[in-house]
Amino acid sequence: QVQLVQSGGGSAQAGGSLRLSCAISGYKFNCITWFRQQPGKGRGAIAIRRSGDLSTDYADSVKGRFIMSREYLQMNNLKPEDTAMYYCAAKSSTWERCSIDSGEEDYPYWGQGTQVTVGP
């Protein structure tokens, strides 16, 4: 049985850091992605990691501040606009289709979500 269990998150002040984790069991996926859903908006991908070559890619909004590793999303220099529900998602994919442009409909497996709130 595939499970994605998230932990971490919470509240921070602008400029601070938080770390999210996504523990995956039941299958080894080659494409892991972090999505977030900001208040009043849809869910969008912000970080992807391909396990084959360990390559990562980031949305422009988080590039240079967020770092994705196998199990973690390290979020540095947080901004109030980072306030959102964060989700990890997993799929089996070709390298090309493991893309920051992938939509949520491409992912069959999801974590339960965790709230991140960043104050001024």
Side-chain angles (χ1 to χ4, degrees):
Q1 182 181 0
V2 175
Q3 285 189 310
L4 282 68
V5 179
Q6 296 181 225
S7 61
S11 298
Q13 292 187 322
S17 298
L18 288 172
R19 188 175 75 170
L20 306 182
S21 71
C22 178
I24 301 174
S25 60
Y27 193 77
K28 288 187 177 181
F29 296 97
N30 60 2
C31 181
I32 310 299
T33 301
W34 284 94
F35 285 79
R36 72 181 180 188
Q37 187 165 15
Q38 297 163 303
K41 296 185 179 181
R43 199 177 295 187
I46 57 166
I48 65 101
R49 183 178 185 272
R50 307 173 187 93
S51 61
D53 62 0
L54 306 185
S55 59
T56 55
D57 198 9
Y58 300 90
D60 289 343
S61 58
V62 306
K63 197 171 292 183
R65 301 187 296 120
F66 289 14
I67 302 170
M68 182 176 177
S69 58
R70 184 175 63 87
E71 189 173 330
Y72 300 104
L73 182 68
Q74 179 68 39
M75 305 185 294
N76 300 319
N77 191 20
L78 286 162
K79 302 177 181 181
E81 52 264 43
D82 293 321
T83 295
M85 280 291 290
Y86 285 74
Y87 300 88
C88 61
K91 65 177 180 179
S92 294
S93 171
T94 61
W95 192 97
E96 291 79 10
R97 290 183 65 83
C98 186
S99 166
I100 200 68
D101 296 323
S102 297
E104 58 179 305
E105 66 277 4
D106 292 340
Y107 290 82
Y109 300 103
W110 289 83
Q112 78 276 21
T114 187
Q115 177 68 37
V116 170
T117 302
V118 183

Coordinates of all heavy atoms in Angstrom, one line a residue, residues 7-82:
S7 N 5.0 15.7 7.4 CA 5.1 16.3 8.7 C 5.9 17.6 8.5 O 6.5 17.9 7.5 CB 5.8 15.4 9.6 OG 7.1 15.1 9.2
G8 N 5.9 18.4 9.6 CA 6.6 19.7 9.6 C 5.7 20.8 9.3 O 4.4 20.6 9.4
G9 N 6.2 21.9 8.9 CA 5.4 23.1 8.6 C 5.1 23.8 9.9 O 5.8 23.8 10.9
G10 N 4.0 24.6 9.8 CA 3.6 25.4 11.0 C 3.7 26.9 10.7 O 3.4 27.3 9.5
S11 N 4.2 27.7 11.6 CA 4.2 29.1 11.5 C 5.6 29.7 11.6 O 6.5 29.1 12.3 CB 3.4 29.8 12.5 OG 2.0 29.4 12.4
A12 N 5.9 30.7 10.9 CA 7.2 31.4 10.9 C 7.0 32.8 10.6 O 6.0 33.2 10.0 CB 8.2 30.7 9.9
Q13 N 8.0 33.6 10.9 CA 8.0 35.0 10.5 C 8.8 35.2 9.2 O 9.6 34.3 8.8 CB 8.7 35.9 11.6 CG 7.9 35.9 12.9 CD 8.5 36.9 13.9 OE1 9.7 37.0 14.0 NE2 7.6 37.6 14.6
A14 N 8.5 36.2 8.5 CA 9.2 36.5 7.2 C 10.7 36.5 7.5 O 11.2 37.1 8.5 CB 8.7 37.9 6.7
G15 N 11.4 35.9 6.6 CA 12.8 35.7 6.7 C 13.2 34.5 7.4 O 14.4 34.1 7.4
G16 N 12.3 33.8 8.0 CA 12.6 32.6 8.7 C 12.6 31.3 7.9 O 12.5 31.4 6.6
S17 N 12.8 30.2 8.5 CA 12.9 28.9 7.8 C 11.9 27.9 8.4 O 11.7 27.9 9.6 CB 14.3 28.4 7.8 OG 15.2 29.3 7.2
L18 N 11.5 27.0 7.5 CA 10.7 25.8 8.0 C 11.1 24.6 7.1 O 11.6 24.8 6.0 CB 9.2 26.0 7.8 CG 8.5 27.0 8.8 CD1 7.1 27.2 8.4 CD2 8.6 26.4 10.2
R19 N 10.9 23.4 7.6 CA 11.2 22.3 6.8 C 10.0 21.3 6.8 O 9.4 21.0 7.9 CB 12.4 21.5 7.4 CG 12.9 20.4 6.4 CD 14.2 19.8 6.9 NE 14.0 18.9 8.1 CZ 14.9 18.1 8.6 NH1 16.1 18.0 8.0 NH2 14.6 17.3 9.6
L20 N 9.7 20.9 5.6 CA 8.6 19.9 5.5 C 9.2 18.5 5.1 O 10.2 18.5 4.4 CB 7.7 20.3 4.3 CG 7.0 21.7 4.4 CD1 6.1 21.9 3.2 CD2 6.3 21.9 5.7
S21 N 8.6 17.5 5.6 CA 9.0 16.2 5.2 C 7.9 15.4 4.5 O 6.7 15.6 4.8 CB 9.6 15.4 6.4 OG 8.6 15.0 7.3
C22 N 8.3 14.4 3.7 CA 7.3 13.6 3.0 C 7.9 12.2 3.0 O 8.8 11.9 2.2 CB 7.1 14.1 1.6 SG 5.9 13.1 0.6
A23 N 7.4 11.3 3.9 CA 7.9 10.0 4.0 C 7.0 9.1 3.1 O 5.8 9.0 3.3 CB 7.8 9.5 5.4
I24 N 7.7 8.4 2.1 CA 6.9 7.6 1.1 C 7.2 6.1 1.4 O 8.4 5.7 1.5 CB 7.3 8.0 -0.3 CG1 7.1 9.5 -0.6 CG2 6.6 7.1 -1.3 CD1 7.5 10.0 -1.9
S25 N 6.2 5.3 1.4 CA 6.4 3.9 1.6 C 5.5 3.2 0.6 O 4.5 3.7 0.1 CB 6.0 3.5 3.1 OG 4.7 3.8 3.3
G26 N 5.8 1.9 0.4 CA 5.0 1.1 -0.5 C 5.5 1.0 -1.9 O 5.0 0.1 -2.7
Y27 N 6.3 2.0 -2.4 CA 6.7 2.0 -3.8 C 7.8 3.0 -3.9 O 7.8 4.0 -3.2 CB 5.6 2.3 -4.7 CG 5.9 2.0 -6.2 CD1 5.8 0.7 -6.7 CD2 6.2 3.1 -7.1 CE1 6.1 0.5 -8.0 CE2 6.5 2.8 -8.4 CZ 6.5 1.5 -8.8 OH 6.7 1.3 -10.2
K28 N 8.8 2.7 -4.9 CA 9.8 3.7 -5.1 C 9.5 4.5 -6.4 O 9.6 3.9 -7.5 CB 11.2 3.0 -5.3 CG 11.7 2.5 -3.9 CD 13.1 1.9 -4.1 CE 13.7 1.4 -2.8 NZ 15.0 0.9 -2.9
F29 N 9.0 5.7 -6.2 CA 8.7 6.5 -7.3 C 9.9 7.3 -7.9 O 10.8 7.6 -7.1 CB 7.6 7.5 -6.9 CG 6.3 6.9 -6.5 CD1 6.0 6.7 -5.2 CD2 5.4 6.5 -7.5 CE1 4.8 6.0 -4.8 CE2 4.2 5.9 -7.1 CZ 4.0 5.6 -5.8
N30 N 9.9 7.6 -9.1 CA 11.0 8.3 -9.7 C 10.8 9.8 -9.9 O 11.6 10.5 -10.4 CB 11.5 7.7 -11.0 CG 10.4 7.7 -12.1 OD1 9.3 8.2 -11.9 ND2 10.7 7.1 -13.2
C31 N 9.6 10.2 -9.5 CA 9.2 11.7 -9.7 C 8.4 12.1 -8.4 O 7.3 11.6 -8.2 CB 8.4 11.9 -10.9 SG 8.0 13.6 -11.2
I32 N 9.0 12.9 -7.6 CA 8.4 13.5 -6.4 C 8.2 15.0 -6.6 O 9.2 15.6 -7.1 CB 9.2 13.2 -5.2 CG1 9.6 11.7 -5.1 CG2 8.4 13.6 -3.9 CD1 8.4 10.8 -5.1
T33 N 7.1 15.5 -6.2 CA 6.8 16.9 -6.5 C 6.2 17.5 -5.2 O 5.3 16.8 -4.6 CB 5.9 17.1 -7.7 OG1 6.5 16.5 -8.8 CG2 5.6 18.5 -7.9
W34 N 6.5 18.7 -4.9 CA 5.8 19.5 -3.9 C 4.9 20.5 -4.6 O 5.4 21.2 -5.5 CB 6.8 20.2 -3.0 CG 7.5 19.3 -2.0 CD1 8.7 18.7 -2.1 CD2 7.0 19.0 -0.7 NE1 9.0 18.0 -1.0 CE2 7.9 18.1 -0.1 CE3 5.8 19.3 0.0 CZ2 7.8 17.6 1.1 CZ3 5.7 18.7 1.3 CH2 6.6 17.9 1.8
F35 N 3.7 20.5 -4.2 CA 2.7 21.5 -4.6 C 2.3 22.4 -3.5 O 2.5 22.0 -2.3 CB 1.4 20.8 -5.1 CG 1.5 20.1 -6.4 CD1 2.1 18.8 -6.5 CD2 1.0 20.6 -7.6 CE1 2.2 18.2 -7.8 CE2 1.0 20.0 -8.8 CZ 1.7 18.8 -8.9
R36 N 1.8 23.5 -3.8 CA 1.2 24.3 -2.8 C -0.1 25.0 -3.3 O -0.3 25.2 -4.5 CB 2.1 25.4 -2.2 CG 2.4 26.6 -3.1 CD 3.4 27.5 -2.4 NE 3.7 28.6 -3.3 CZ 4.7 29.5 -2.9 NH1 5.4 29.4 -1.8 NH2 4.9 30.5 -3.7
Q37 N -1.0 25.2 -2.3 CA -2.2 25.9 -2.7 C -2.4 27.1 -1.8 O -2.6 27.0 -0.6 CB -3.4 25.0 -2.5 CG -4.7 25.6 -3.0 CD -5.8 24.5 -3.1 OE1 -5.7 23.4 -2.6 NE2 -6.9 24.8 -3.8
Q38 N -2.2 28.3 -2.4 CA -2.3 29.5 -1.6 C -3.8 29.9 -1.5 O -4.6 29.4 -2.3 CB -1.5 30.6 -2.4 CG 0.0 30.4 -2.4 CD 0.7 31.2 -3.4 OE1 0.4 31.1 -4.6 NE2 1.7 31.9 -3.0
P39 N -4.1 30.7 -0.5 CA -5.5 31.0 -0.3 C -6.2 31.6 -1.5 O -5.6 32.5 -2.1 CB -5.4 32.1 0.8 CG -4.2 31.8 1.6 CD -3.2 31.3 0.5
G40 N -7.3 31.0 -1.9 CA -8.0 31.5 -3.0 C -7.5 31.1 -4.4 O -8.0 31.6 -5.4
K41 N -6.4 30.2 -4.4 CA -5.8 29.9 -5.7 C -5.9 28.4 -5.9 O -6.1 27.6 -4.9 CB -4.4 30.4 -5.7 CG -4.3 31.9 -5.7 CD -2.8 32.3 -5.9 CE -2.7 33.8 -5.9 NZ -1.3 34.3 -6.1
G42 N -5.5 27.9 -7.1 CA -5.4 26.5 -7.3 C -4.1 26.0 -6.8 O -3.2 26.7 -6.4
R43 N -3.9 24.6 -7.0 CA -2.7 24.0 -6.5 C -1.7 24.0 -7.7 O -2.0 23.6 -8.8 CB -3.1 22.5 -6.2 CG -2.2 21.8 -5.3 CD -2.7 20.4 -4.9 NE -3.9 20.5 -4.1 CZ -4.4 19.4 -3.6 NH1 -3.9 18.2 -3.8 NH2 -5.5 19.5 -2.9
G44 N -0.5 24.4 -7.4 CA 0.6 24.5 -8.4 C 1.9 23.9 -7.9 O 2.2 23.9 -6.7
A45 N 2.6 23.3 -8.8 CA 3.9 22.7 -8.4 C 4.9 23.7 -8.2 O 5.0 24.7 -8.9 CB 4.4 21.8 -9.6
I46 N 5.7 23.5 -7.1 CA 6.8 24.4 -6.8 C 8.2 23.8 -6.8 O 9.2 24.5 -6.9 CB 6.5 25.1 -5.4 CG1 6.4 24.1 -4.3 CG2 5.3 26.0 -5.5 CD1 6.5 24.7 -2.9
A47 N 8.3 22.5 -6.6 CA 9.6 21.8 -6.6 C 9.4 20.4 -7.1 O 8.4 19.7 -6.7 CB 10.2 21.9 -5.2
I48 N 10.3 19.9 -7.9 CA 10.3 18.5 -8.4 C 11.6 17.9 -8.2 O 12.7 18.6 -8.3 CB 9.8 18.4 -9.8 CG1 10.7 19.0 -10.8 CG2 8.4 18.9 -10.0 CD1 11.6 18.0 -11.5
R49 N 11.7 16.6 -8.0 CA 12.9 15.9 -7.9 C 12.8 14.6 -8.7 O 11.9 13.8 -8.4 CB 13.3 15.6 -6.5 CG 14.7 15.0 -6.3 CD 14.9 14.8 -4.8 NE 16.3 14.3 -4.5 CZ 16.5 13.0 -4.4 NH1 15.6 12.1 -4.6 NH2 17.8 12.6 -4.1
R50 N 13.8 14.3 -9.5 CA 13.8 13.1 -10.3 C 14.8 12.1 -9.6 O 16.0 12.5 -9.5 CB 14.2 13.3 -11.7 CG 13.3 14.4 -12.4 CD 13.9 14.7 -13.8 NE 13.2 15.9 -14.4 CZ 13.6 17.1 -14.3 NH1 14.7 17.4 -13.6 NH2 12.9 18.1 -14.9
S51 N 14.4 11.0 -9.2 CA 15.3 10.1 -8.4 C 16.4 9.5 -9.3 O 17.4 9.1 -8.8 CB 14.5 9.0 -7.7 OG 13.8 8.2 -8.6
G52 N 16.1 9.4 -10.6 CA 17.1 8.8 -11.5 C 18.4 9.5 -11.5 O 19.5 8.8 -11.3
D53 N 18.4 10.8 -11.7 CA 19.7 11.5 -11.7 C 19.7 12.6 -10.6 O 20.6 13.4 -10.6 CB 19.8 12.2 -13.1 CG 18.7 13.2 -13.4 OD1 17.8 13.4 -12.6 OD2 18.8 13.8 -14.5
L54 N 18.8 12.5 -9.7 CA 18.7 13.4 -8.6 C 18.6 14.9 -9.0 O 18.9 15.8 -8.2 CB 20.0 13.3 -7.7 CG 20.3 11.8 -7.2 CD1 21.4 11.8 -6.2 CD2 19.0 11.2 -6.5
S55 N 18.1 15.1 -10.2 CA 17.9 16.5 -10.6 C 16.7 17.1 -10.0 O 15.7 16.4 -9.7 CB 17.8 16.6 -12.1 OG 16.8 15.8 -12.6
T56 N 16.7 18.4 -9.8 CA 15.6 19.2 -9.2 C 15.3 20.4 -10.1 O 16.1 20.8 -10.9 CB 15.9 19.7 -7.8 OG1 17.1 20.4 -7.8 CG2 16.1 18.5 -6.8
D57 N 14.1 20.8 -9.9 CA 13.6 22.1 -10.6 C 12.7 22.8 -9.7 O 12.0 22.1 -8.9 CB 13.0 21.7 -12.0 CG 12.9 23.0 -12.9 OD1 13.5 24.0 -12.5 OD2 12.3 22.9 -13.9
Y58 N 12.6 24.1 -9.8 CA 11.8 24.9 -8.9 C 11.0 25.9 -9.7 O 11.4 26.4 -10.7 CB 12.7 25.6 -7.9 CG 13.5 24.7 -7.1 CD1 14.8 24.3 -7.5 CD2 13.0 24.2 -5.9 CE1 15.5 23.4 -6.7 CE2 13.8 23.3 -5.1 CZ 15.0 22.9 -5.5 OH 15.8 22.1 -4.8
A59 N 9.8 26.3 -9.1 CA 9.1 27.4 -9.7 C 9.9 28.7 -9.4 O 10.6 28.8 -8.4 CB 7.7 27.4 -9.0
D60 N 9.7 29.7 -10.2 CA 10.4 30.9 -10.1 C 10.1 31.5 -8.7 O 11.0 32.2 -8.1 CB 10.1 31.9 -11.2 CG 10.6 31.5 -12.5 OD1 11.6 30.7 -12.6 OD2 10.1 32.0 -13.5
S61 N 9.0 31.4 -8.2 CA 8.6 32.0 -6.9 C 9.4 31.5 -5.7 O 9.4 32.2 -4.7 CB 7.1 31.8 -6.7 OG 6.8 30.4 -6.7
V62 N 10.0 30.3 -5.8 CA 10.7 29.8 -4.7 C 12.2 29.5 -5.0 O 12.9 29.1 -4.1 CB 10.0 28.5 -4.2 CG1 8.6 28.7 -3.9 CG2 10.2 27.3 -5.2
K63 N 12.6 29.7 -6.3 CA 13.9 29.4 -6.7 C 14.9 30.2 -5.9 O 14.7 31.4 -5.7 CB 14.1 29.7 -8.2 CG 15.3 29.0 -8.8 CD 15.2 29.2 -10.3 CE 14.1 28.3 -10.9 NZ 14.1 28.4 -12.4
G64 N 15.9 29.5 -5.4 CA 17.0 30.2 -4.6 C 16.6 30.3 -3.1 O 17.5 30.6 -2.3
R65 N 15.4 29.9 -2.7 CA 15.0 29.9 -1.3 C 14.6 28.6 -0.8 O 14.9 28.2 0.3 CB 13.8 30.9 -1.2 CG 14.1 32.3 -1.6 CD 12.9 33.2 -1.2 NE 11.7 32.9 -1.9 CZ 10.5 32.5 -1.3 NH1 10.5 32.5 0.1 NH2 9.4 32.2 -2.0
F66 N 14.1 27.7 -1.7 CA 13.6 26.4 -1.3 C 14.6 25.4 -1.8 O 15.1 25.5 -3.0 CB 12.2 26.1 -1.8 CG 11.1 26.9 -1.1 CD1 11.4 28.0 -0.3 CD2 9.8 26.5 -1.3 CE1 10.3 28.7 0.3 CE2 8.7 27.2 -0.7 CZ 9.0 28.3 0.1
I67 N 14.8 24.3 -1.1 CA 15.7 23.2 -1.5 C 15.0 21.9 -1.2 O 14.6 21.6 -0.1 CB 17.0 23.2 -0.7 CG1 17.8 24.6 -0.9 CG2 17.9 22.1 -1.2 CD1 19.0 24.8 0.0
M68 N 14.9 21.1 -2.3 CA 14.2 19.8 -2.2 C 15.3 18.7 -2.2 O 16.1 18.7 -3.0 CB 13.3 19.6 -3.4 CG 12.5 18.3 -3.3 SD 11.3 18.2 -4.6 CE 10.6 16.6 -4.3
S69 N 15.1 17.8 -1.2 CA 15.9 16.6 -1.2 C 15.0 15.4 -1.2 O 13.8 15.6 -1.4 CB 16.8 16.6 0.1 OG 16.0 16.7 1.2
R70 N 15.5 14.2 -1.0 CA 14.7 13.0 -1.2 C 13.5 13.1 -0.3 O 12.4 12.7 -0.8 CB 15.5 11.8 -0.9 CG 14.8 10.5 -1.1 CD 15.7 9.3 -0.9 NE 16.2 9.2 0.5 CZ 15.5 8.6 1.5 NH1 14.4 8.0 1.2 NH2 16.0 8.6 2.7
E71 N 13.6 13.5 0.9 CA 12.4 13.4 1.8 C 12.0 14.8 2.3 O 10.9 14.9 2.9 CB 12.8 12.6 3.0 CG 11.6 12.3 3.9 CD 12.0 11.3 5.0 OE1 12.8 10.4 4.8 OE2 11.3 11.4 6.1
Y72 N 12.8 15.8 2.0 CA 12.5 17.1 2.7 C 12.3 18.3 1.6 O 12.9 18.2 0.5 CB 13.6 17.5 3.6 CG 13.8 16.5 4.7 CD1 14.9 15.6 4.7 CD2 13.0 16.5 5.8 CE1 15.1 14.7 5.7 CE2 13.1 15.5 6.8 CZ 14.2 14.7 6.8 OH 14.4 13.7 7.7
L73 N 11.6 19.3 2.1 CA 11.6 20.5 1.4 C 12.0 21.6 2.4 O 11.2 21.9 3.4 CB 10.2 20.9 0.9 CG 10.1 22.2 0.1 CD1 10.8 22.1 -1.2 CD2 8.6 22.6 -0.1
Q74 N 13.2 22.1 2.3 CA 13.7 23.1 3.1 C 13.3 24.5 2.6 O 13.6 24.8 1.4 CB 15.3 23.0 3.2 CG 15.9 24.1 4.1 CD 15.6 23.9 5.6 OE1 15.5 22.8 6.1 NE2 15.3 25.0 6.2
M75 N 12.7 25.2 3.4 CA 12.1 26.5 3.0 C 12.8 27.6 3.8 O 12.7 27.7 5.0 CB 10.6 26.6 3.2 CG 9.9 25.4 2.5 SD 8.1 25.6 2.6 CE 7.9 25.4 4.4
N76 N 13.6 28.4 3.1 CA 14.4 29.5 3.7 C 13.9 30.9 3.2 O 13.2 31.0 2.2 CB 15.9 29.3 3.3 CG 16.4 28.0 3.8 OD1 16.1 27.6 4.9 ND2 17.3 27.4 3.0
N77 N 14.3 31.9 4.0 CA 13.9 33.2 3.6 C 12.4 33.3 3.2 O 12.0 33.9 2.2 CB 14.7 33.7 2.4 CG 14.6 35.2 2.2 OD1 14.2 36.0 3.1 ND2 14.9 35.7 1.0
L78 N 11.6 32.8 4.1 CA 10.2 32.7 3.9 C 9.5 34.1 3.8 O 10.0 35.1 4.4 CB 9.5 32.0 5.0 CG 9.7 30.5 5.0 CD1 9.3 29.8 6.3 CD2 8.8 29.8 3.9
K79 N 8.5 34.2 2.9 CA 7.8 35.4 2.7 C 6.3 35.2 3.0 O 5.8 34.0 2.9 CB 7.9 35.8 1.2 CG 9.3 36.0 0.7 CD 9.4 36.3 -0.7 CE 10.8 36.5 -1.2 NZ 10.9 36.9 -2.7
P80 N 5.6 36.2 3.3 CA 4.1 36.1 3.6 C 3.4 35.4 2.5 O 2.4 34.6 2.8 CB 3.6 37.5 3.9 CG 4.8 38.2 4.4 CD 6.0 37.6 3.6
E81 N 3.8 35.6 1.3 CA 3.1 34.9 0.1 C 3.4 33.4 0.0 O 2.8 32.8 -0.8 CB 3.5 35.6 -1.2 CG 5.0 35.8 -1.4 CD 5.5 37.2 -1.0 OE1 5.1 37.7 0.1 OE2 6.3 37.7 -1.8
D82 N 4.3 32.9 0.9 CA 4.5 31.5 0.9 C 3.4 30.8 1.8 O 3.4 29.6 1.8 CB 5.9 31.2 1.5 CG 7.0 31.6 0.6 OD1 6.9 31.5 -0.6 OD2 8.0 32.1 1.2

